[in-house]
Amino acid sequence: MTATMDENRVTIFDTTLRDGEQSPGASMDMAEKLKIALFLEEMGVDVIEAGFPIASAGDFEAVHQIANTLKNVTVCALSRADRGDIECCAAAIAPAPRRRIHTFISTSALHMKYKLRMTPEQVHERVGESVRYARTFTDDVEWSAEDGSRTDSDFLCRCVEAAIRAGARTINIPDTVGYAIPDEFSSRIAMLLNRVPNIDRAILSVHCHNDLGLAVANALAAVQAGARQVECTLNGLGERAGNAALEEIVMALRTRYDHLPFTTGIKTELITRASKLVSAITGFVVQPNKAIVGANAFAHEAGIHQDGLLKHAATYEIMPPEAVGLSQAKIVLGKHSGRRAFREKVRTLLGYELSEHALEEAFRRFKDLADRKKEIFEEDLTALVGDELAQGLQGEDRIRFGTLEVMCGSRHPSADLELVIDGVVQGVSATGNGPIDAIFIAIRAIFPHAARLQLYQVHAVTQGTDAQAEVTVRLEENGRSVNGYGADTDTLVASARAYVNALNRLLVKREKTAPTALSA
Ligand code: KIV
Ligand code: ZN
């Protein structure tokens, strides 16, 4: 049989906002989720798993908001094989023009016996019931066999058959615990395609975890065996060791089309920006040698490699950096650039349309930066505008950064800090075990709170000692975490701004009320 293009099109199902968000510490608020969802849509993802609505009021609200906003992508939400879960899921995705319910139940002997305490027959029955019920809300239903890679083959075939009979259009086989080996996993997919009656009525999908570092290899092996949907996340975010990384799957398919003749709808030039967005929002740094999106992924250090590259790029480069949206660090603006040029750069380079107020403030800070730093790179602009957007994300922030003077060195580090609280300037001096400690103690003295510091992270935006520092601060209160973000050429100022930003977000989170759909 000659395969047509469509038969070789792989559906990209992104679960950064659901499985990715399950990584400890990666929780995102609604505005952040929406921002990522909009970017995924622009990038050409086919299905966005926006959350697990029954898990919390916040999850429900985020899925609902995403379903209300996105028009060109399928919005999916997860539910257990339970009527209440499915109803909640259906209500959350209702506004989306294209919506999918993803319902799952464990099928491995281990999970059925110890986790579900159900017999195989009960599970089998529940598969049909749950899919049938989900189909009363939407035609697009996906069914997953949790722990599918460790499920008895005969039983898996029976469950898949029942799900298809009940109306599932996508059948997902997760390697929930990241246990599979590529040739074994591809045989499992081939086995299902050979044995299950009516398997051609559904798309086979895979969802691979990375506990043995094999998630991407397993997913690609499954595609070679006939799977046509891959579930993945940006930067490989996800439970434990994470999920198959979207960028690695997509670039492997694109770069090795000779061996893997499959296509996706992803605009690969947006991959780098997508990765940075997720990293900035979650505070999860991408390791420098991470494939595709690590800072060193396209850097050539060895002289012999650089020499080869200069003679012919293909000697050491299997894909052009531009294919993932990487460009040489370019000077984009200078000290004499005006407001109009600044606005234009922000719009064309970063895709942001700033409000008049935010533009004024960002421009003032840009001028200030240009005074301190000779060359302003694209990365500088991204950090500065990102900081401005972070500060403005909550509307009228109650706490604003004022001024900071720090004494540091080997004796008694201290910080003199002024914050503006509800419009009133308040100042304090504090000492600590180092300048950052002194600053954070000063913030707590001015604005007492019980939130715990979970993460403090600094990243240099560009090279050189005059580089801006991007700081992420994560605060936790009553099991809820928020990330704050700040950027400045002075690491200490950036740290104070990031902490204040996290505090403002925490205040907004505290004020939030449950959505009516769940509290009714
Ligand atoms: O890993 C897993 O099995 C899952 C399912 C809910 C699809 O995330
Ligand atoms: Zn998973």
Side-chain angles (χ1 to χ4, degrees):
M1 182 183 76
T2 348
T4 66
M5 277 305 277
D6 269 350
E7 282 173 337
N8 287 346
R9 168 74 150 75
V10 175
T11 297
I12 297 295
F13 175 115
D14 181 279
T15 183
T16 307
L17 299 176
R18 199 277 298 168
D19 210 319
E21 210 222 5
Q22 284 174 218
S23 315
S27 72
M28 311 168 210
D29 66 26
M30 201 170 77
E32 292 166 337
K33 285 187 181 175
L34 188 59
K35 209 163 165 189
I36 292 178
L38 282 164
F39 202 92
L40 289 171
E41 181 183 46
E42 185 186 344
M43 197 163 76
V45 160
D46 301 290
V47 185
I48 294 176
E49 188 163 55
F52 191 8
I54 198 80
S56 72
D59 259 57
F60 179 95
E61 207 183 338
V63 174
H64 198 250
Q65 176 81 39
I66 290 169
N68 241 320
T69 313
L70 304 192
K71 302 283 174 261
N72 301 312
V73 63
T74 298
V75 177
C76 172
L78 185 69
S79 78
R80 288 168 298 185
D82 180 288
R83 287 175 88 89
D85 269 37
I86 293 170
E87 284 158 18
C88 182
C89 214
I93 59 170
R98 277 146 60 184
R99 50 191 178 274
R100 174 181 296 187
I101 294 177
H102 177 191
T103 179
F104 74 99
I105 190 164
S106 290
T107 49
S108 68
L110 206 64
H111 278 219
M112 290 190 291
K113 181 169 177 194
Y114 294 105
K115 184 183 121 172
L116 299 177
R117 296 182 198 283
M118 285 168 77
T119 64
E121 281 323 304
Q122 287 170 324
V123 167
H124 182 260
E125 203 164 307
R126 190 71 77 79
V127 172
E129 281 168 13
S130 55
V131 172
R132 252 190 312 281
Y133 192 53
R135 276 296 305 258
T136 63
F137 298 100
T138 172
D139 289 345
D140 190 350
V141 173
E142 171 171 335
W143 176 76
S144 276
E146 191 184 5
D147 208 16
S149 58
R150 294 194 300 171
T151 296
D152 170 75
S153 297
D154 292 343
F155 186 61
L156 187 61
C157 285
R158 284 185 59 214
C159 289
V160 169
E161 187 182 348
I164 294 175
R165 199 178 318 113
R169 287 194 175 164
T170 303
I171 297 292
N172 183 41
I173 308 300
D175 180 24
T176 303
V177 289
Y179 182 74
I181 301 293
D183 66 336
E184 176 197 39
F185 198 54
S186 68
S187 302
R188 183 154 281 250
I189 298 302
M191 181 275 293
L192 290 169
L193 287 168
N194 285 330
R195 287 184 50 189
V196 176
N198 295 326
I199 191 77
D200 55 330
R201 291 197 190 156
I203 301 238
L204 260 190
S205 162
V206 289
H207 173 111
C208 300
H209 278 272
N210 206 30
D211 299 67
L212 293 174
L214 292 171
V216 169
N218 284 328
L220 292 176
V223 169
Q224 285 183 292
R228 287 295 176 271
Q229 174 176 286
V230 173
E231 302 197 353
C232 46
T233 58
L234 285 165
N235 299 341
L237 211 62
E239 283 268 0
R240 307 180 308 280
N243 288 62
L246 179 149
E247 62 277 8
E248 294 178 24
I249 302 274
V250 169
M251 289 314 289
L253 293 179
R254 178 177 158 158
T255 308
R256 293 306 312 276
Y257 187 77
D258 60 324
H259 195 72
L260 299 163
F262 308 102
T263 58
T264 72
I266 299 295
K267 294 178 190 130
T268 63
E269 318 76 62
L270 296 182
I271 281 178
T272 301
R273 269 175 61 196
S275 161
K276 286 190 173 162
L277 179 68
V278 169
S279 170
I281 285 178
T282 57
F284 276 46
V285 189
V286 173
Q287 76 192 54
N289 58 333
K290 159 91 176 62
I292 317 294
V293 292
N296 293 348
F298 291 87
H300 301 272
E301 191 68 23
I304 197 166
H305 288 198
Q306 291 176 349
D307 180 55
L309 265 178
L310 289 173
K311 289 175 176 149
H312 195 296
T315 50
Y316 287 101
E317 224 163 54
I318 60 165
M319 52 200 155
E322 297 77 28
V324 295
L326 263 185
S327 51
Q328 292 285 329
K330 278 197 236 79
I331 302 168
V332 288
L333 289 171
K335 190 175 169 146
H336 303 292
S337 307
R339 199 178 268 93
R340 184 189 291 219
F342 176 76
R343 180 203 285 263
E344 200 46 34
K345 273 288 174 230
V346 170
R347 185 186 292 141
T348 54
L349 216 58
L350 313 178
Y352 295 135
E353 195 64 64
L354 293 176
S355 68
E356 277 312 311
H357 174 73
L359 179 79
E360 244 355 273
E361 187 53 24
F363 184 65
R364 187 194 61 70
R365 289 187 57 198
F366 156 71
K367 281 290 190 187
D368 186 43
L369 184 65
D371 272 342
R372 286 186 277 159
K373 194 170 182 297
K374 266 204 322 274
E375 298 161 325
I376 307 286
F377 294 96
E378 189 177 320
E379 288 83 350
D380 286 315
L381 221 53
T382 313
L384 188 148
V385 173
D387 180 291
E388 206 44 57
L389 288 176
Q391 314 299 326
L393 215 55
Q394 318 303 331
E396 274 311 301
D397 286 341
R398 277 192 62 197
I399 314 168
R400 292 200 164 265
F401 172 75
T403 60
L404 176 68
E405 297 293 333
V406 176
M407 279 266 295
C408 52
S410 53
R411 281 170 171 259
H412 304 291
S414 65
D416 287 347
L417 176 73
E418 276 184 1
L419 297 179
V420 185
I421 314 280
D422 297 325
V424 180
V425 178
Q426 297 191 33
V428 80
S429 288
T431 54
N433 283 325
I436 305 291
D437 193 42
I439 294 167
F440 291 180
I441 289 173
I443 296 176
R444 278 196 292 273
I446 297 177
F447 193 87
H449 56 276
R452 271 184 339 108
L453 180 68
Q454 273 191 325
L455 174 93
Y456 169 72
Q457 187 173 278
V458 185
H459 161 243
V461 173
T462 53
Q463 292 181 341
T465 48
D466 65 349
Q468 281 194 94
E470 268 181 320
V471 176
T472 307
V473 162
R474 184 179 304 142
L475 295 178
E476 186 267 336
E477 185 185 68
N478 300 329
R480 292 172 306 188
S481 300
V482 288
N483 285 331
Y485 174 79
D488 199 278
T489 47
D490 186 318
T491 311
L492 303 179
V493 171
S495 303
R497 293 178 71 90
Y499 197 113
V500 165
N501 181 229
L503 263 186
N504 280 314
R505 289 177 173 216
L506 207 57
L507 295 178
V508 169
K509 213 163 197 174
R510 272 191 207 158
E511 281 162 15
K512 263 197 200 148
T513 50
T516 46
L518 275 188
S519 52

